[in-house]
Coordinates of all heavy atoms in Angstrom, one line a residue:
D243 N 29.7 -70.3 -63.4 CA 29.2 -71.6 -63.0 C 30.4 -72.6 -63.0 O 31.5 -72.2 -63.1 CB 28.1 -72.0 -64.0 CG 28.6 -72.1 -65.4 OD1 29.8 -72.3 -65.7 OD2 27.7 -72.2 -66.3
T244 N 30.0 -73.9 -62.8 CA 31.0 -74.9 -62.6 C 31.9 -75.1 -63.9 O 32.9 -75.7 -63.8 CB 30.4 -76.2 -62.2 OG1 29.3 -76.5 -63.1 CG2 29.9 -76.2 -60.8
D245 N 31.3 -74.6 -65.0 CA 32.1 -74.7 -66.3 C 33.0 -73.5 -66.5 O 33.6 -73.4 -67.6 CB 31.1 -74.9 -67.5 CG 30.3 -76.2 -67.4 OD1 30.9 -77.2 -67.0 OD2 29.2 -76.2 -67.8
G246 N 33.0 -72.6 -65.6 CA 33.7 -71.4 -65.8 C 33.1 -70.3 -66.6 O 33.7 -69.3 -67.0
K247 N 31.8 -70.5 -66.9 CA 31.1 -69.5 -67.7 C 30.4 -68.4 -66.9 O 29.8 -68.8 -65.8 CB 30.0 -70.3 -68.5 CG 29.1 -69.4 -69.4 CD 27.9 -70.2 -70.0 CE 26.9 -69.2 -70.7 NZ 25.6 -69.9 -71.0
E248 N 30.6 -67.2 -67.2 CA 30.1 -66.1 -66.5 C 28.5 -66.1 -66.6 O 28.0 -66.0 -67.7 CB 30.6 -64.7 -66.9 CG 30.2 -63.6 -66.1 CD 30.7 -62.2 -66.5 OE1 32.0 -62.2 -66.7 OE2 30.0 -61.3 -66.7
V249 N 27.8 -66.1 -65.5 CA 26.4 -66.2 -65.5 C 25.7 -64.9 -64.9 O 24.5 -64.8 -64.9 CB 25.8 -67.4 -64.8 CG1 26.2 -68.7 -65.7 CG2 26.4 -67.6 -63.4
F250 N 26.6 -64.1 -64.3 CA 26.0 -62.9 -63.6 C 27.1 -61.9 -63.4 O 28.3 -62.2 -63.1 CB 25.5 -63.3 -62.2 CG 24.9 -62.2 -61.4 CD1 23.5 -61.9 -61.5 CD2 25.6 -61.4 -60.5 CE1 22.9 -60.8 -60.8 CE2 25.0 -60.4 -59.7 CZ 23.7 -60.1 -59.9
R251 N 26.8 -60.6 -63.6 CA 27.7 -59.5 -63.4 C 26.9 -58.3 -62.9 O 25.9 -57.9 -63.4 CB 28.5 -59.1 -64.6 CG 29.4 -57.9 -64.5 CD 30.2 -57.6 -65.8 NE 31.1 -58.7 -66.1 CZ 32.3 -58.5 -66.6 NH1 32.7 -57.2 -66.8 NH2 33.1 -59.5 -66.9
Y252 N 27.4 -57.7 -61.8 CA 26.7 -56.5 -61.2 C 27.7 -55.4 -61.0 O 28.8 -55.6 -60.4 CB 26.0 -56.8 -59.9 CG 24.8 -55.9 -59.7 CD1 23.5 -56.3 -60.1 CD2 25.0 -54.7 -59.1 CE1 22.4 -55.4 -59.8 CE2 23.9 -53.8 -58.8 CZ 22.6 -54.2 -59.2 OH 21.6 -53.3 -59.0
W253 N 27.4 -54.2 -61.5 CA 28.3 -53.1 -61.5 C 28.1 -52.1 -60.4 O 26.9 -52.0 -59.9 CB 28.2 -52.3 -62.8 CG 28.7 -53.0 -64.0 CD1 28.0 -53.9 -64.8 CD2 30.0 -53.0 -64.6 NE1 28.8 -54.4 -65.8 CE2 30.1 -53.8 -65.7 CE3 31.2 -52.2 -64.2 CZ2 31.2 -54.0 -66.5 CZ3 32.3 -52.4 -65.0 CH2 32.3 -53.3 -66.1
M254 N 29.1 -51.4 -59.9 CA 29.0 -50.3 -59.1 C 29.6 -49.1 -59.8 O 30.8 -49.1 -60.1 CB 29.7 -50.5 -57.8 CG 29.6 -49.3 -56.8 SD 30.6 -49.4 -55.3 CE 32.2 -49.0 -55.9
P255 N 28.9 -48.1 -60.2 CA 27.4 -47.9 -59.9 C 26.6 -48.6 -60.9 O 27.0 -48.8 -62.1 CB 27.3 -46.3 -60.1 CG 28.3 -46.0 -61.2 CD 29.5 -46.9 -60.9
D256 N 25.3 -48.9 -60.5 CA 24.4 -49.5 -61.4 C 23.6 -48.3 -62.1 O 23.9 -47.1 -61.8 CB 23.4 -50.5 -60.7 CG 22.6 -49.8 -59.6 OD1 22.6 -48.6 -59.5 OD2 22.0 -50.6 -58.9
D257 N 22.6 -48.6 -62.9 CA 21.9 -47.6 -63.7 C 21.2 -46.6 -62.7 O 21.2 -45.4 -63.0 CB 20.9 -48.2 -64.6 CG 21.5 -49.0 -65.8 OD1 22.7 -48.6 -66.1 OD2 20.9 -49.8 -66.4
E258 N 20.8 -47.1 -61.6 CA 20.0 -46.3 -60.6 C 21.0 -45.2 -60.0 O 20.6 -44.1 -59.8 CB 19.5 -47.2 -59.5 CG 18.6 -46.5 -58.6 CD 18.1 -47.5 -57.4 OE1 18.1 -48.7 -57.7 OE2 17.7 -47.0 -56.4
D259 N 22.2 -45.6 -59.8 CA 23.2 -44.7 -59.1 C 23.9 -43.8 -60.1 O 24.5 -42.8 -59.6 CB 24.2 -45.5 -58.3 CG 23.6 -46.3 -57.2 OD1 22.6 -45.8 -56.6 OD2 24.1 -47.4 -56.8
K260 N 23.8 -44.1 -61.4 CA 24.6 -43.3 -62.3 C 24.1 -41.8 -62.4 O 24.9 -40.9 -62.6 CB 24.6 -43.9 -63.7 CG 25.6 -45.1 -63.9 CD 25.5 -45.7 -65.2 CE 26.5 -46.9 -65.3 NZ 26.4 -47.7 -66.5
A261 N 22.8 -41.6 -62.2 CA 22.3 -40.3 -62.1 C 22.9 -39.4 -61.0 O 23.3 -38.3 -61.2 CB 20.8 -40.3 -62.0
T262 N 23.1 -40.1 -59.8 CA 23.7 -39.4 -58.7 C 25.2 -39.1 -59.0 O 25.7 -38.0 -58.7 CB 23.7 -40.3 -57.5 OG1 22.3 -40.7 -57.2 CG2 24.3 -39.7 -56.2
V263 N 25.9 -40.0 -59.7 CA 27.3 -39.8 -60.1 C 27.4 -38.6 -61.0 O 28.3 -37.8 -60.8 CB 27.8 -41.1 -60.8 CG1 29.2 -40.8 -61.4 CG2 27.9 -42.2 -59.8
Q264 N 26.5 -38.5 -62.0 CA 26.6 -37.4 -62.9 C 26.3 -36.1 -62.2 O 27.0 -35.1 -62.5 CB 25.5 -37.6 -64.0 CG 25.9 -38.7 -65.0 CD 24.8 -39.1 -66.0 OE1 23.7 -38.6 -65.8 NE2 25.1 -39.9 -67.0
T265 N 25.4 -36.0 -61.3 CA 25.2 -34.8 -60.5 C 26.4 -34.4 -59.7 O 26.8 -33.2 -59.7 CB 24.0 -35.0 -59.6 OG1 22.8 -35.4 -60.3 CG2 23.6 -33.8 -58.8
L266 N 27.0 -35.4 -59.1 CA 28.2 -35.0 -58.2 C 29.4 -34.6 -59.1 O 30.2 -33.8 -58.7 CB 28.5 -36.3 -57.4 CG 27.5 -36.6 -56.2 CD1 27.9 -37.9 -55.6 CD2 27.6 -35.5 -55.2
Q267 N 29.5 -35.3 -60.3 CA 30.6 -34.9 -61.2 C 30.5 -33.5 -61.6 O 31.5 -32.8 -61.7 CB 30.7 -35.9 -62.4 CG 31.4 -37.2 -62.1 CD 31.3 -38.1 -63.3 OE1 30.4 -38.2 -64.0 NE2 32.4 -38.9 -63.5
A268 N 29.3 -33.1 -61.9 CA 29.1 -31.7 -62.3 C 29.4 -30.7 -61.2 O 29.9 -29.6 -61.4 CB 27.6 -31.5 -62.8
K269 N 29.1 -31.1 -60.0 CA 29.2 -30.2 -58.8 C 30.7 -30.2 -58.4 O 31.2 -29.1 -57.9 CB 28.4 -30.7 -57.7 CG 28.2 -29.8 -56.5 CD 27.2 -30.3 -55.5 CE 27.1 -29.3 -54.3 NZ 26.1 -29.8 -53.3
Y270 N 31.4 -31.3 -58.5 CA 32.8 -31.4 -58.0 C 33.7 -31.9 -59.2 O 34.2 -33.1 -59.1 CB 33.0 -32.3 -56.8 CG 32.0 -31.9 -55.7 CD1 30.9 -32.7 -55.4 CD2 32.3 -30.8 -54.9 CE1 30.0 -32.3 -54.4 CE2 31.5 -30.5 -53.8 CZ 30.3 -31.3 -53.6 OH 29.5 -30.9 -52.5
P271 N 34.0 -31.1 -60.2 CA 34.6 -31.6 -61.4 C 36.1 -32.1 -61.2 O 36.6 -32.8 -62.0 CB 34.5 -30.5 -62.4 CG 34.3 -29.3 -61.6 CD 33.6 -29.7 -60.4
T272 N 36.7 -31.6 -60.2 CA 38.2 -31.9 -60.0 C 38.4 -33.1 -59.0 O 39.6 -33.5 -58.8 CB 38.9 -30.7 -59.4 OG1 38.4 -30.3 -58.2 CG2 38.9 -29.5 -60.4
A273 N 37.4 -33.7 -58.5 CA 37.5 -34.8 -57.5 C 37.8 -36.1 -58.3 O 37.5 -36.2 -59.5 CB 36.3 -34.9 -56.7
M274 N 38.4 -37.1 -57.6 CA 38.7 -38.4 -58.2 C 37.4 -39.1 -58.5 O 36.4 -39.1 -57.7 CB 39.5 -39.3 -57.2 CG 40.9 -38.9 -57.1 SD 41.8 -39.2 -58.7 CE 41.9 -41.0 -58.7
P275 N 37.2 -39.7 -59.7 CA 35.9 -40.2 -60.1 C 35.4 -41.3 -59.2 O 34.1 -41.4 -59.0 CB 36.3 -40.9 -61.5 CG 37.5 -40.1 -62.0 CD 38.2 -39.8 -60.8
Y276 N 36.2 -42.1 -58.5 CA 35.7 -43.1 -57.7 C 35.0 -42.6 -56.4 O 34.2 -43.3 -55.8 CB 36.8 -44.2 -57.3 CG 37.9 -43.7 -56.4 CD1 37.8 -43.6 -55.1 CD2 39.1 -43.3 -57.0 CE1 38.9 -43.2 -54.3 CE2 40.2 -42.9 -56.3 CZ 40.1 -42.8 -54.9 OH 41.1 -42.4 -54.1
F277 N 35.2 -41.3 -56.1 CA 34.5 -40.7 -54.9 C 33.0 -40.8 -55.2 O 32.2 -41.0 -54.3 CB 34.9 -39.3 -54.7 CG 36.3 -39.1 -54.2 CD1 36.9 -37.8 -54.1 CD2 37.0 -40.1 -53.7 CE1 38.2 -37.6 -53.6 CE2 38.3 -40.0 -53.2 CZ 38.9 -38.7 -53.1
F278 N 32.6 -40.5 -56.4 CA 31.2 -40.4 -56.8 C 30.5 -41.8 -56.8 O 29.4 -41.9 -56.3 CB 31.0 -39.7 -58.1 CG 31.8 -38.5 -58.3 CD1 32.6 -38.2 -59.4 CD2 31.7 -37.5 -57.3 CE1 33.4 -37.1 -59.5 CE2 32.4 -36.3 -57.5 CZ 33.2 -36.1 -58.6
T279 N 31.2 -42.8 -57.3 CA 30.6 -44.1 -57.3 C 30.4 -44.7 -55.9 O 29.4 -45.4 -55.7 CB 31.4 -45.1 -58.2 OG1 32.7 -45.2 -57.6 CG2 31.5 -44.6 -59.6
Q280 N 31.2 -44.3 -55.0 CA 31.2 -44.8 -53.6 C 30.3 -44.0 -52.7 O 30.1 -44.4 -51.5 CB 32.6 -45.0 -53.1 CG 33.4 -46.0 -53.9 CD 34.8 -46.2 -53.3 OE1 35.1 -45.7 -52.2 NE2 35.7 -46.8 -54.1
D281 N 29.9 -42.8 -53.1 CA 29.2 -41.9 -52.3 C 28.0 -42.5 -51.6 O 27.9 -42.4 -50.3 CB 28.8 -40.6 -53.1 CG 28.1 -39.6 -52.2 OD1 28.7 -39.0 -51.3 OD2 26.9 -39.5 -52.4
P282 N 27.1 -43.2 -52.3 CA 25.9 -43.7 -51.6 C 26.2 -44.7 -50.5 O 25.6 -44.7 -49.4 CB 25.1 -44.4 -52.7 CG 25.6 -43.9 -54.0 CD 27.0 -43.5 -53.7
D283 N 27.3 -45.5 -50.7 CA 27.7 -46.5 -49.7 C 28.3 -45.9 -48.5 O 28.1 -46.3 -47.4 CB 28.6 -47.5 -50.4 CG 28.0 -48.2 -51.6 OD1 26.8 -48.6 -51.5 OD2 28.6 -48.3 -52.6
Y284 N 29.1 -44.8 -48.7 CA 29.7 -44.2 -47.5 C 28.6 -43.4 -46.7 O 28.7 -43.4 -45.5 CB 30.8 -43.2 -48.0 CG 32.1 -43.9 -48.1 CD1 32.8 -44.0 -49.3 CD2 32.7 -44.4 -46.9 CE1 34.0 -44.6 -49.4 CE2 33.9 -45.0 -47.0 CZ 34.6 -45.2 -48.2 OH 35.8 -45.8 -48.3
V285 N 27.6 -42.9 -47.4 CA 26.4 -42.3 -46.7 C 25.8 -43.4 -45.8 O 25.5 -43.2 -44.6 CB 25.4 -41.7 -47.7 CG1 24.1 -41.4 -46.9 CG2 26.0 -40.5 -48.4
T286 N 25.6 -44.6 -46.3 CA 25.0 -45.7 -45.6 C 25.9 -46.1 -44.4 O 25.4 -46.2 -43.2 CB 24.9 -47.0 -46.5 OG1 24.0 -46.6 -47.5 CG2 24.3 -48.1 -45.7
V287 N 27.2 -46.2 -44.6 CA 28.1 -46.6 -43.5 C 28.1 -45.5 -42.4 O 28.0 -45.9 -41.2 CB 29.6 -46.7 -44.1 CG1 30.6 -46.9 -42.9 CG2 29.7 -48.0 -45.0
K288 N 28.1 -44.3 -42.8 CA 28.2 -43.2 -41.8 C 26.9 -43.2 -41.0 O 26.9 -43.0 -39.7 CB 28.4 -41.9 -42.4 CG 29.9 -41.7 -42.9 CD 30.0 -40.5 -43.8 CE 31.4 -40.4 -44.4 NZ 31.6 -39.3 -45.4
E289 N 25.7 -43.4 -41.7 CA 24.5 -43.3 -41.0 C 24.3 -44.5 -40.0 O 23.8 -44.4 -38.9 CB 23.3 -43.3 -42.0 CG 21.9 -43.5 -41.4 CD 21.5 -42.5 -40.3 OE1 22.2 -41.4 -40.2 OE2 20.6 -42.8 -39.5
L290 N 24.8 -45.7 -40.4 CA 24.7 -46.9 -39.5 C 25.6 -46.6 -38.3 O 25.1 -46.9 -37.1 CB 25.2 -48.1 -40.3 CG 24.3 -48.7 -41.3 CD1 25.0 -49.8 -42.1 CD2 23.1 -49.4 -40.6
A291 N 26.8 -46.0 -38.4 CA 27.6 -45.8 -37.3 C 27.0 -44.7 -36.4 O 27.0 -44.8 -35.2 CB 29.0 -45.3 -37.8
A292 N 26.4 -43.7 -37.0 CA 25.8 -42.6 -36.3 C 24.6 -43.1 -35.5 O 24.4 -42.7 -34.3 CB 25.4 -41.4 -37.2
K293 N 23.8 -43.9 -36.1 CA 22.5 -44.4 -35.5 C 22.9 -45.3 -34.3 O 22.3 -45.3 -33.3 CB 21.7 -45.2 -36.5 CG 20.3 -45.4 -36.1 CD 19.4 -45.8 -37.2 CE 17.9 -45.8 -36.8 NZ 17.0 -46.2 -37.9
F294 N 24.0 -46.1 -34.5 CA 24.4 -47.0 -33.4 C 24.8 -46.1 -32.2 O 24.5 -46.4 -31.0 CB 25.6 -47.9 -33.8 CG 26.3 -48.5 -32.7 CD1 25.8 -49.6 -32.0 CD2 27.5 -47.9 -32.2 CE1 26.4 -50.2 -30.9 CE2 28.1 -48.5 -31.1 CZ 27.6 -49.6 -30.4
T295 N 25.6 -45.0 -32.5 CA 26.0 -44.1 -31.4 C 24.9 -43.5 -30.7 O 24.8 -43.4 -29.5 CB 27.0 -43.1 -32.0 OG1 28.0 -43.7 -32.8 CG2 27.6 -42.2 -30.9
A296 N 23.9 -43.1 -31.5 CA 22.7 -42.3 -30.9 C 21.7 -43.2 -30.2 O 21.2 -42.9 -29.1 CB 22.0 -41.6 -32.0
T297 N 21.5 -44.4 -30.7 CA 20.4 -45.3 -30.2 C 20.9 -46.7 -29.7 O 20.1 -47.4 -29.0 CB 19.4 -45.5 -31.3 OG1 19.9 -46.4 -32.3 CG2 18.9 -44.2 -31.9
G298 N 22.1 -47.1 -30.0 CA 22.5 -48.4 -29.7 C 22.1 -49.5 -30.6 O 22.4 -50.7 -30.5
E299 N 21.4 -49.1 -31.7 CA 20.9 -50.1 -32.7 C 22.1 -50.6 -33.5 O 23.0 -49.9 -33.9 CB 20.0 -49.4 -33.7 CG 19.3 -50.3 -34.7 CD 18.4 -49.6 -35.7 OE1 17.6 -48.7 -35.2 OE2 18.4 -49.9 -36.9

Side-chain angles (χ1 to χ4, degrees):
D243 62 19
T244 50
D245 296 323
K247 180 187 168 192
E248 185 179 310
V249 292
F250 182 86
R251 178 179 292 222
Y252 205 94
W253 291 86
M254 180 185 81
D256 61 10
D257 291 338
E258 187 184 337
D259 294 331
K260 280 179 181 171
T262 305
V263 170
Q264 287 170 351
T265 303
L266 291 170
Q267 276 178 325
K269 193 173 179 182
Y270 307 105
T272 59
M274 284 296 286
Y276 64 86
F277 289 171
F278 309 130
T279 59
Q280 296 179 12
D281 180 71
D283 303 312
Y284 273 116
V285 169
T286 299
V287 171
K288 289 172 185 172
E289 171 55 20
L290 285 168
K293 197 166 190 179
F294 166 79
T295 308
T297 68
E299 184 179 319

